[in-house]
C-alpha cells in the first residue's frame, strides 16, 4: 500500500517565466546554476528539514495561478514569479487567496536594476521576500516558509515556541 504524502509537510517550489533558462540566461544577473540544480538543492534541504518539495516551472501566468491554488493546505510556497512579480494582479490575488505562507525570491538584486523591477505587486501579500542573494536565496526562502508555517501553527494551537 502506498502512503499519501502529508500535504501539511509539503512545500511548492514554483519558478515563473524564463527561469527554465537558468544557467545560460544572463549569467551576470542570474549566475550559471541551472534550474535543475536549484531544484535539487532545495529538495535536498527539504529532506534535511523534514518536508517534501514539489518543483514546478511555468512560463504561463494562468498555470502559475493554478499551481498556487493547488498548494492550498500545504506548508507553503517558495515563489520566484519572474517578471510577473512586477505586474500580475492575478498572481497577487492567488497568493492572498490560498492563505499559506508564500516567500518571494528574486535571484538578482532587482533594486540595483531597471526601475520597472523595483515594483512588486506580489510582495505585499507574501510572507517574506528575498532578493539579491543569488540562487542561495531559494534555500533561505525555504527556511523562511517553514518558520512562517510553524508560527501559524503556534497561533492556531494557542502555543508559542521559544
Ligand atoms: C527575477 C527578476 C525579474 O525582474 C526578472 O524578470 C526575472 C528574474 C530574479 O530572479 O532576479 O525573470 O525574478
Amino acid at each position: 500500500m502506498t502512503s499519501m504524502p502529508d500535504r501539511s509537510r509539503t512545500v511548492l517550489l514554483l519558478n515563473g517565466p524564463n527561469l527554465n533558462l537558468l544557467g545560460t540566461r544572463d549569467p551576470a544577473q542570474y549566475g550559471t546554476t541551472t534550474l535543475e540544480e536549484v531544484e535539487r538543492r532545495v529538495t535536498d534541504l527539504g529532506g534535511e528539514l523534514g518536508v517534501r518539495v514539489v518543483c514546478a516551472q511555468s512560463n504561463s501566468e494562468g498555470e502559475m495561478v493554478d499551481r498556487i491554488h493547488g498548494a492550498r493546505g500545504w506548508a507553503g510556497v517558495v515563489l520566484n514569479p519572474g517578471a510577473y512579480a512586477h505586474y500580475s494582479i492575478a498572481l497577487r490575488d492567488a497568493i492572498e487567496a490560498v492563505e499559506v505562507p508564500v516567500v518571494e525570491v528574486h535571484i538578482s538584486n532587482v533594486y540595483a536594476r531597471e526601475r520597472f523591477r523595483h515594483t512588486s505587486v506580489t510582495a505585499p501579500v507574501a510572507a517574506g521576500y528575498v532578493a539579491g542573494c543569488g540562487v542561495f536565496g531559494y534555500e533561505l526562502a525555504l527556511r523562511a516558509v517553514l518558520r512562517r508555517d510553524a508560527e501559524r501553527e503556534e497561533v492556531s494551537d494557542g502555543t508559542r515556541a521559544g
Side-chain angles (χ1 to χ4, degrees):
M1 197 175 98
T2 53
S3 59
M4 289 293 287
D6 179 356
R7 288 169 63 85
S8 69
R9 297 303 295 161
T10 303
V11 172
L12 174 65
L13 168 62
L14 179 59
N15 276 285
N18 302 307
L19 292 160
N20 52 314
L21 302 179
L22 272 185
T24 54
R25 173 191 179 199
D26 195 354
Q29 289 297 346
Y30 305 117
T32 53
T33 309
T34 62
L35 180 60
E36 196 182 7
E37 175 64 13
V38 167
E39 291 177 341
R40 194 188 60 74
R41 288 182 195 173
V42 177
T43 303
D44 286 355
L45 179 61
E48 283 169 35
L49 300 174
V51 287
R52 186 175 73 115
V53 177
V54 171
C55 302
Q57 185 277 330
S58 177
N59 294 321
S60 311
E61 185 180 22
E63 192 180 333
M64 291 184 71
V65 167
D66 289 340
R67 288 283 188 176
I68 293 168
H69 290 177
R72 201 169 215 161
W74 294 21
V77 181
V78 172
L79 172 68
N80 186 340
Y84 289 140
H86 310 309
Y87 66 92
S88 174
I89 305 300
L91 275 192
R92 183 215 176 277
D93 287 352
I95 293 167
E96 191 171 40
V98 291
E99 295 177 329
V100 301
V102 176
V103 173
E104 178 167 334
V105 182
H106 295 282
I107 299 165
S108 63
N109 180 358
V110 284
Y111 296 99
R113 302 181 64 192
E114 302 94 325
R115 218 177 165 75
F116 64 84
R117 295 186 205 274
H118 301 183
T119 300
S120 170
V121 298
T122 44
V125 289
Y129 185 90
V130 180
C133 298
V135 294
F136 181 55
Y138 288 99
E139 294 175 54
L140 297 173
L142 176 62
R143 289 182 183 276
V145 161
L146 297 180
R147 183 65 237 157
R148 289 282 185 242
D149 184 48
E151 286 165 1
R152 280 196 307 162
E153 295 203 343
E154 285 162 19
V155 170
S156 67
D157 290 356
T159 58
R160 206 172 131 49

